[in-house]
Amino acid sequence: MILFDDDDHTVTYVVVMLREIFGHSMEEALRMTFEVDSQGKVIVDTCHKELAELRKEQIETYGADPRVRGCKGSMRAGIEPAE
């Protein structure tokens, strides 16, 4: 499960989303947030296909960042097979 970077969401939004959807610790969510910002994408979970599809939908329907005026919606995510 991969999260893709964009310029429309704050660090707070990403951290809260990762903690709510995946149950990541604050430290892990922060690490992932900074990685997606610097690398353009980050692996946020490795799980079976059905759960990955659910999590992808949860990310993509999480909603706009209320801290950013004009934020048009949720972040994007993708699913790739684990290596």
Side-chain angles (χ1 to χ4, degrees):
M1 171 105 264
I2 298 170
L3 179 66
F4 296 102
D5 188 31
D6 61 33
D7 294 327
D8 291 335
H9 298 89
T10 61
V11 167
T12 301
Y13 174 96
V14 180
V15 167
V16 170
M17 179 189 66
L18 292 172
R19 296 193 74 206
E20 285 184 10
I21 293 174
F22 295 93
H24 291 315
S25 68
M26 177 64 83
E27 294 77 19
E28 187 70 3
L30 278 169
R31 182 195 66 75
M32 291 177 175
T33 299
F34 293 127
E35 184 174 334
V36 75
D37 187 48
S38 66
Q39 302 298 314
K41 63 182 181 177
V42 64
I43 297 171
V44 292
D45 198 17
T46 302
C47 57
H48 61 82
K49 183 180 177 189
E50 292 79 12
L51 183 56
E53 290 169 347
L54 172 64
R55 297 291 189 242
K56 180 180 186 298
E57 180 181 338
Q58 289 174 313
I59 289 171
E60 293 181 343
T61 60
Y62 194 74
D65 188 336
R67 297 161 199 84
V68 177
R69 180 188 288 180
C71 181
K72 297 193 187 329
S74 304
M75 295 184 76
R76 290 183 315 107
I79 301 171
E80 294 182 4
E83 296 179 1

